[in-house]
């Protein structure tokens, strides 16, 4: 079984030092319209741009999928005190008794002054979890069956994108984001999900080429230690989820062709 794969994006040592040296009284606890207007101004002001990140991005090799990632100058992260401590992008598999696998793509944002009010003692806000039930076997040669990328260049908004292959010619694509005001959304193959009403999206491909989706709002905040166990239990012991992932087209009472 593939191990949990993490991509954690950290600020540079200089920026991290600047954040650590900022008192909690100076940190931003709420992303107001005034802060949003300031951010727009900073994003268009070359004097506020982060030249180090800009040069790094120009020379970075990026997997442009599903959406091409453009290189834009971005404001320095430390202009917004306390609002960044890294992001998380993770992928892992869960094997089902049926022989299928659940390919899980996880997007997270570390605790900041903007989300600490609802995170409590937890360190990460897993704002989007995509769980795709697929017959497609793992690619143990090129590892091209799944892909996820977490992006902090819209800081303090954070974005992720990626895909899960469900056949040799088809895949489930996604883009998700957590905004600085803590609203969160995802687009999965052009279906829009408001993640404030459930951050776990289950996708089940059908034999006719269509997709089925289920949106779940966990009754507790998921943490690193509970992440795999929660999803494994959900797919192996929850009757509603088990019924959903085994239901096929003709059982949805759709008209026949």
């Amino acid at each position: 079984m593939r191990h949990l794969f993490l991509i954690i994006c950290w600020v540079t040592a200089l920026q991290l030092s600047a954040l650590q040296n900022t008192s909690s009284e100076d940190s931003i606890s709420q992303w107001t319209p005034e802060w949003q207007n300031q951010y727009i101004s900073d994003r268009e002001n070359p004097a506020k741009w982060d030249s180090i990140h800009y040069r790094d991005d120009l020379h970075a090799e990026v997997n442009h999928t599903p959406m091409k990632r453009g290189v834009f100058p971005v404001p320095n992260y430390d202009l917004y005190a306390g609002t960044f401590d890294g992001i998380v992008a993770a992928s892992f598999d869960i094997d089902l008794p049926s022989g299928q696998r659940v390919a899980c793509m996880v997007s997270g944002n570390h605790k900041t002054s903007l989300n600490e009010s609802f995170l409590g003692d937890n360190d990460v806000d897993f704002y989007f979890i995509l769980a795709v039930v697929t017959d497609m076997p793992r690619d143990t040669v090129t590892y091209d069956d799944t892909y996820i990328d977490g992006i902090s260049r819209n800081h303090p908004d954070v974005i992720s994108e990626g895909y899960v292959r469900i056949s040799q010619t088809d895949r489930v694509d996604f883009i998700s984001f957590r905004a600085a005001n803590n609203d969160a959304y995802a687009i999965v193959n052009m279906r829009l999900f408001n993640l404030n009403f459930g951050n776990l999206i289950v996708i089940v491909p059908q034999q006719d080429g269509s997709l089925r989706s289920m949106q779940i709002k966990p009754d507790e905040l998921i943490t690193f230690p509970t992440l795999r166990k929660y999803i494994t239990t959900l797919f192996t012991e929850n009757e509603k989820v088990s019924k959903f992932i085994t239901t096929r087209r003709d059982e949805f009472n759709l008209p026949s062709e």
Side-chain angles (χ1 to χ4, degrees), residues 132-153:
V132 180
V133 180
T134 177
D135 297 317
M136 187 78 172
R138 301 181 189 89
D139 183 345
T140 58
V141 178
T142 65
Y143 297 100
D144 189 45
D145 53 319
T146 61
Y147 171 77
I148 184 170
D149 186 21
I151 305 164
S152 64
R153 291 297 188 263

Side-chain angles (χ1 to χ4, degrees), residues 150-206:
I151 305 164
S152 64
R153 291 297 188 263
N154 292 282
H155 167 74
D157 303 325
V158 294
I159 295 179
S160 68
E161 66 171 341
Y163 62 78
V164 175
R165 293 196 185 279
I166 53 177
S167 73
Q168 293 293 342
T169 58
D170 199 9
R171 68 188 195 189
V172 173
D173 293 336
F174 73 89
I175 295 174
S176 68
F177 69 88
R178 168 75 85 182
N181 66 358
N182 289 319
D183 282 342
Y185 290 86
I187 300 171
V188 180
N189 283 33
M190 293 306 293
R191 169 163 283 193
L192 180 66
F193 295 92
N194 184 334
L195 300 178
N196 297 306
F197 292 86
N199 62 330
L200 175 55
I201 306 299
V202 180
I203 301 294
V204 182
Q206 302 294 301

